[in-house]
Amino acid sequence: MKNVIEVNNLSKRYKNFLLDNISFTVPEGYICGFIGQNGAGKTTTLNLILGMALKDSGQIKVMDKSSEDVAIKEDLGVLLDQSYFQEDWTPIDIEKAISPFYSRWDSKTFHQYLQRFSLSPRQKFKTMSRGMRTKLGLAVTLSHDAKLLLLDEPTSGLDPVMRNEILDILRDYMIEENKSVFFSTHITSDLEKVADYIIYIYNGRILYSGLKDDLIDKYCLVRGGHDELPSSKRESIIGLREHIGGFEGMIEVSDIGGFPSGVITETVSLDDIMVYMNRKGA
């Protein structure tokens, strides 16, 4: 399988945070969700991939080239959580400023997205809502035939209707062959709708990298009464919480044998996995 991103032994230390020798790959042709709570290291990692921060050690390859190779920029579509457009610019001004940097810039496509998003070509950026700004950024990102999209929290702060619209756009983007998406977010419900592949970062360390379905199938929720929790199972339960009615937690499916028949097991969501891993302290 060809990889569009390869990260090996990447480290970056800040005063109060350490990205701790992480390694992962992103396969071509997938929407890859990069999940973790706020402060886990998602934006730091993305900034390092983009060359917006200097790594302390490690290697990063993007589409078989060093991430420092300027040639790859042509094939990247980037949408950051913080926009850097000038406040007084309109979409027309933004196109004039950005299009010279991309040999495959398609003005027709850009204006089609503006129309699809109900964005006026002459509205100033400073008067746009957060949702409108996100849509404008996505229009720019999708108008130069990028092979790999790098999106940092693209649906954060948006209402459910707008979030679904953006997810639909990503589905449309993936119809073409050899396209890939690296999608950083803490809104895991969005990823459950569109992602095929998951990278889970916790406190600067990678806890999982692989197919989304494999991660979800690995765990289940377990709950029962006080007298239904064998002492031999306590260490196996991730994020164990005991309360007046009994206990609850998450456990690997391979460890569910040995509980009394009254114990209830349920499938997990990505949200569940993050919540219980956080309780455990990973």
Side-chain angles (χ1 to χ4, degrees), residues 232-249:
S232 61
K233 287 294 181 181
R234 284 182 172 273
E235 293 299 318
S236 301
I237 300 177
I238 300 166
L240 174 64
R241 186 170 76 90
E242 296 182 75
H243 48 80
I244 191 169
F247 75 94
E248 64 178 31

Side-chain angles (χ1 to χ4, degrees), residues 82-99:
Q82 178 65 47
S83 174
Y84 294 96
F85 297 140
Q86 294 293 323
E87 291 287 293
D88 285 326
W89 280 0
T90 66
I92 291 176
D93 297 324
I94 290 169
E95 181 181 20
K96 288 178 181 178
I98 291 178
S99 59

Side-chain angles (χ1 to χ4, degrees), residues 66-74:
S66 167
S67 62
E68 300 170 2
D69 190 334
V70 176
I72 66 171
K73 308 302 182 184
E74 180 84 12

Side-chain angles (χ1 to χ4, degrees), residues 15-65:
K15 183 178 180 180
N16 297 311
F17 177 76
L18 172 64
L19 192 68
D20 192 9
N21 198 42
I22 66 170
S23 297
F24 63 85
T25 60
V26 177
E28 183 182 67
Y30 285 80
I31 295 180
C32 175
F34 190 34
I35 67 171
Q37 66 189 79
N38 290 333
K42 300 188 302 297
T43 298
T44 295
T45 302
L46 191 57
N47 286 343
L48 291 168
I49 291 172
L50 291 170
M52 298 174 63
L54 298 177
K55 63 183 184 289
D56 293 336
S57 60
Q59 294 182 325
I60 307 170
K61 293 180 69 176
V62 178
M63 292 180 286
D64 291 328
K65 296 182 176 68

